[in-house]
Amino acid sequence: HLTNAAAFFQRAEVRDLLAWLRLLEDPGDAGAVVRALARPPIELRAIDLARVTQIARRRKLDMVGALGAALESPQIPPEARERIVAFLKLHRRAAAALDASRPDLFVHRMTERLGLRRQLLFAASAEVVERLVNLAKFGELAAAYARRSPQATARDFARAISAVAEAGLREEEASAGDKPRGVQVMGMHAAKGLEFDHVYVLGLLAARMPGPRRRSLEPIPDQLIKEAVPPDTKGAHVAEQRRLLHVAMTRARKGLVLAFPEVTERGARQHASPFAEEARAAVGGEWEPKVEELFGPAETLQSTFRVLRDELMHTISQVGGRLGELRFDTDLDVSHAVVRYLEVLKLSALMERTRAGQSVAEALPEVNARLLQAVTSEQREIFETSALDEYLQDAERDERLRQRAVAQRTEPSLEQFLPRRGEGLLLSASDIDTYRTCPLKYKFARVFRIPQEPTLNQRFGILVHQVLERFHAGETATRSLPELLGLLEAGWRRGGFGTSEEEKQLQDKATEALVTYHERFQGEDAEPVWFERSFSFTLGKHTLRGRVDRVDRLSDGAYELIDYKTGRPKRAADLREDVQLALYSVAAQQAWELEAAHQAYYYVLDDQKVPVDWSEDDREWIQDTVFEVADGILSQGFEPTPSFSACSICDYRIACPAAER
């Protein structure tokens, strides 16, 4: 929620904390350093800041480096030295924790280090309470960000919160009458019961709305449901998605915008949701193409103008209060206040020039020349040593780079490396599962084919599968327990397993599990008919292939497809969206013409069989999933989807850009 953003970020205590976050996120930003030095607990005087700025310019150092060099300068008085030492000490500690701390923990510690809360605790007034509440709200923003992005660091939060602060509404704009104006970002489900002047419904792709049906993990027993509920079918899913979009669309009082990305970042064409097309046709509207707009110099000018304009009144108040004091640097303080006013005037002039089509780099020299005609020599020196011009030119340069990046975003196509089979793709259950877990991992593993070194547990699982495969490949009369254990012993030696404590424990577990497996196999009524049976069939234009570990014929004539597992057992409810078993169900029907096939995972180490049966409607779900994954691969959509469970065991973290965050 970005409601009343600028009004919140203009609070003095929030501005102090935000200045430090901006400084730490970008230590090369001279303006951010200056703003942080003008805040508690440092608050260097204007004359000291000017001297440090002169050192930075003369020695070609950044502002942080110039502060260190200023400690050696005789121009810096003892009081300023103490403040600079305190600043550098605080900066080193905070910079070291920026990439290693959670956002909420970092903000809490930063608030305490700066003493922002401690300075207010012993003053009893309504204003103090409001300031403490604002600091708490800032901490809540950091905690909410950490919940949304568990892998994010404090640096990521600093970037995000700085962008929100710059893009926020002005305080007078944020309140229209009694109702605050702002933007709320939410999912469609959260919009029920709310109303807004304008509603933007984004991401209305056919692949998402209605998209494949998402199954509930554990169905509620009929005995616990009093009212009649619609069937859990694909038709019910489509109807639910249609109602959901209807709710989102009817939240608008004045204006409604439906939007979808027409092409992917790779240039592949995408289609609008059929629901959005129905709404468009109903009102006789047409899709209006919009070109991507990025933050650039125009936005930088406006946001900087708002910040400096608001800070100007604070500066005037400070300088005005010092005019009555007996100080030798009063004239310098007045000159700094005049220069701050001139900078606001400069920004206003630049905004008018850019609206007329002139660039910042072209307009700056003329605007500066006209302003310098009306200043004293002291004000001229302060004006010319300001970092504002560099900041604005950097923003314009960054904007050109971004525009060039957008224009050149079509990277070399990976079309020739995709697993093509005719017009479609060649896929397996593991391919689909990998892409659903993280598209970038699929790109590394299946497209680039970067080799992975198997872990000890993976090698152990492969060995158990091989032992059972060779055991069942022999003659029925010789399928004895000694033969089974002999296969394990031989495979253990060939597999290169060592004599560590962990490997010995795995060998003992495998021996015990195979003894139990043999007993179960001898006593089962089901008749095993196939082992390691392969399948290959087509869904649409795509080819699916795989292999089932074992197929049993049950006493009632039906068939059961069994896949061996060496991991921890899962409940049947946890396997309702399991791609592998669902694909086996379709394979039995399409490739082998086994209509009444059951499926089960057999967890060998725990001697536990977990059956999961699939209906005809369930088979539609896996078909939709296959088509969704195939469309993503064909459009070369390989953006990472980081999560702790996936990233913590991923073999490609060293090459993954998401791992840097």
Side-chain angles (χ1 to χ4, degrees):
H1 298 270
L2 309 183
T3 306
N4 203 4
F8 174 72
F9 288 107
Q10 288 306 313
R11 303 289 185 258
E13 60 283 354
V14 175
R15 198 166 62 237
D16 294 342
L17 188 55
L18 184 63
W20 270 92
L21 286 175
R22 282 172 165 161
L23 155 67
L24 293 168
E25 193 278 318
D26 184 8
D29 185 347
V33 180
V34 171
R35 285 191 290 272
L37 288 169
R39 308 288 185 209
I42 308 302
E43 288 191 291
L44 280 180
R45 295 184 306 165
I47 187 172
D48 298 325
L49 282 173
R51 287 166 177 164
V52 173
T53 304
Q54 290 174 354
I55 292 174
R57 187 176 185 184
R58 186 169 62 249
R59 300 193 186 183
K60 297 182 179 180
L61 298 172
D62 59 36
M63 284 296 292
V64 176
L67 286 168
L71 296 177
E72 306 171 1
S73 173
Q75 296 178 335
I76 305 298
E79 180 184 357
R81 290 173 186 272
E82 293 179 2
R83 293 180 180 274
I84 291 174
V85 169
F87 170 85
L88 293 175
K89 184 177 180 181
L90 183 58
H91 177 267
R92 281 194 296 269
R93 289 183 177 179
L98 190 65
D99 293 311
S101 300
R102 297 198 321 266
D104 50 346
L105 182 61
F106 183 87
V107 168
H108 172 74
R109 291 179 176 174
M110 195 71 193
T111 305
E112 300 306 319
R113 290 281 186 186
L114 295 176
L116 299 177
R117 187 179 289 111
R118 185 172 59 253
Q119 297 170 15
L120 303 171
L121 285 178
F122 299 103
S125 69
E127 182 183 359
V128 167
V129 173
E130 182 182 0
R131 290 185 176 184
L132 291 172
V133 170
N134 287 333
L135 289 176
K137 286 182 179 178
F138 201 101
E140 291 171 2
L141 289 174
Y145 184 86
R147 286 193 296 270
R148 291 195 305 270
S149 305
Q151 303 299 317
T153 63
R155 184 182 299 277
D156 299 322
F157 172 71
R159 291 171 180 168
I161 207 68
S162 296
V164 172
E166 290 184 6
L169 301 173
R170 289 161 48 188
E171 186 166 4
E172 58 268 27
E173 294 172 340
S175 298
D178 296 331
K179 297 180 180 179
R181 292 179 55 196
V183 177
Q184 284 186 306
V185 183
M186 63 180 66
M188 292 187 189
H189 291 88
K192 185 177 181 181
L194 303 177
E195 288 189 357
F196 306 94
D197 287 343
H198 301 276
V199 171
Y200 296 80
V201 187
L202 311 179
L204 290 178
L205 291 168
R208 294 183 180 178
M209 180 67 68
R213 180 163 61 94
R214 301 298 181 189
R215 307 172 52 83
S216 58
L217 293 181
E218 190 166 1
I220 302 174
D222 295 338
Q223 296 83 351
L224 300 179
I225 304 177
K226 295 181 180 180
E227 68 277 7
V229 296
D232 184 19
T233 62
K234 183 177 181 180
H237 167 71
V238 172
E240 179 186 359
Q241 294 296 303
R242 186 188 299 274
R243 286 193 297 271
L244 182 62
L245 180 57
H246 177 265
V247 169
M249 293 169 58
T250 53
R251 300 306 91 195
R253 299 189 189 99
K254 298 179 180 179
L256 172 68
V257 174
L258 306 181
F260 76 99
E262 191 175 21
V263 294
T264 66
E265 291 188 353
R266 296 285 185 174
R269 191 170 184 80
Q270 301 183 114
H271 300 285
S273 165
F275 304 152
E277 287 288 359
E278 291 173 10
R280 181 193 60 78
V283 298
E286 296 293 335
W287 290 111
E288 181 180 351
K290 289 287 186 180
V291 180
E292 182 176 13
E293 297 178 2
L294 299 171
F295 288 104
E299 290 81 0
T300 302
L301 288 172
Q302 294 171 8
S303 62
T304 308
F305 174 80
R306 289 197 298 266
V307 172
L308 293 186
R309 179 201 59 192
D310 295 334
E311 288 186 354
L312 176 62
M313 300 307 297
H314 179 68
T315 302
I316 292 174
S317 176
Q318 280 187 329
V319 175
R322 293 171 182 169
L323 288 179
E325 300 176 2
L326 186 60
R327 296 174 51 179
F328 292 106
D329 59 350
T330 301
D331 293 343
L332 182 59
D333 286 345
V334 172
S335 295
H336 275 281
V338 171
V339 170
R340 177 55 56 91
Y341 168 75
L342 293 177
E343 288 182 336
V344 174
L345 193 60
K346 178 200 294 188
L347 288 168
S348 179
L350 289 175
M351 286 192 291
E352 293 298 327
R353 297 293 185 96
T354 54
R355 291 192 188 102
Q358 197 172 10
S359 69
V360 173
E362 293 171 344
L364 261 178
E366 183 180 352
V367 172
N368 284 339
R370 294 195 176 189
L371 291 175
L372 288 173
Q373 292 175 2
V375 300
T376 65
S377 59
E378 186 178 53
Q379 293 166 2
R380 173 186 291 271
E381 182 179 359
I382 298 172
F383 188 89
E384 291 178 341
T385 56
S386 171
L388 180 61
D389 288 4
E390 295 179 7
Y391 172 70
L392 297 176
Q393 289 176 329
D394 286 344
E396 186 175 44
R397 185 162 50 250
D398 291 344
E399 168 64 5
R400 290 196 297 268
L401 292 175
R402 282 192 290 266
Q403 290 178 344
R404 193 178 307 140
V406 171
Q408 297 177 352
R409 236 176 3 186
T410 54
E411 301 176 9
S413 175
L414 301 175
E415 177 69 26
Q416 58 179 326
F417 302 105
L418 299 181
R420 283 285 195 175
R421 178 63 61 89
E423 296 183 358
L425 296 174
L426 180 64
L427 298 172
S428 66
S430 62
D431 293 337
I432 297 170
D433 194 55
T434 300
Y435 188 88
R436 294 180 79 208
T437 301
C438 178
L440 185 60
K441 182 178 180 180
Y442 175 88
K443 176 183 177 180
F444 287 151
R446 301 294 194 269
V447 180
F448 289 169
R449 299 186 179 277
I450 300 176
Q452 301 169 268
E453 182 179 355
T455 63
L456 176 61
N457 289 328
Q458 289 173 336
R459 291 166 51 211
F460 175 73
I462 294 172
L463 171 64
V464 172
H465 276 74
Q466 291 175 343
V467 168
L468 294 176
E469 177 186 0
R470 291 166 182 166
F471 174 71
H472 290 297
E475 296 294 333
T476 305
T478 61
R479 288 178 185 164
S480 62
L481 180 59
E483 178 189 0
L484 180 58
L485 298 180
L487 290 171
L488 174 63
E489 181 67 27
W492 193 267
R493 291 194 304 269
R494 287 195 303 269
F497 291 92
T499 58
S500 67
E501 186 62 29
E502 184 179 5
E503 290 168 313
K504 288 180 180 178
Q505 291 180 3
L506 287 177
Q507 187 175 18
D508 293 341
K509 283 184 180 180
T511 301
E512 182 180 350
L514 291 179
V515 171
T516 306
Y517 176 87
H518 188 267
E519 293 175 357
R520 172 192 277 267
F521 179 73
Q522 296 297 327
E524 284 183 341
D525 294 333
E527 176 190 359
V529 290
W530 294 294
F531 298 98
E532 300 294 330
R533 186 175 187 187
S534 300
F535 63 80
S536 178
F537 65 96
T538 58
L539 278 180
K541 60 183 180 181
H542 308 294
T543 302
L544 283 300
R545 67 176 180 180
R547 185 171 59 179
V548 181
D549 291 335
R550 176 174 148 191
V551 181
D552 288 357
R553 183 186 293 114
L554 306 179
S555 57
D556 60 358
Y559 290 88
E560 184 178 43
L561 315 179
I562 300 174
D563 192 77
Y564 299 131
K565 293 292 181 184
T566 55
R568 294 181 179 178
K570 294 183 179 180
R571 301 177 304 162
D574 298 330
L575 298 170
R576 296 304 300 172
E577 287 196 7
D578 185 83
V579 170
Q580 188 172 13
L581 287 182
L583 196 62
Y584 284 0
S585 175
V586 179
Q589 183 184 55
Q590 299 289 335
W592 304 334
E593 299 182 355
L594 300 181
E595 294 293 339
H598 304 278
Q599 300 82 39
Y601 278 135
Y602 177 56
Y603 294 91
V604 180
L605 299 184
D606 295 89
D607 188 32
Q608 184 175 343
K609 181 188 289 187
V610 181
V612 181
D613 292 337
W614 301 86
S615 64
E616 186 63 34
D617 188 60
D618 297 324
R619 296 188 179 97
E620 292 183 6
W621 167 79
I622 188 58
Q623 291 177 22
D624 293 340
T625 301
V626 170
F627 295 148
E628 180 184 10
V629 168
D631 290 344
I633 296 173
L634 288 174
S635 63
Q636 300 182 33
F638 297 127
E639 292 299 317
T641 53
S643 67
F644 176 78
S645 58
C647 297
S648 60
I649 59 174
C650 182
D651 295 319
Y652 303 109
R653 281 175 293 179
I654 192 172
C656 179
E660 299 176 3
R661 303 193 293 267

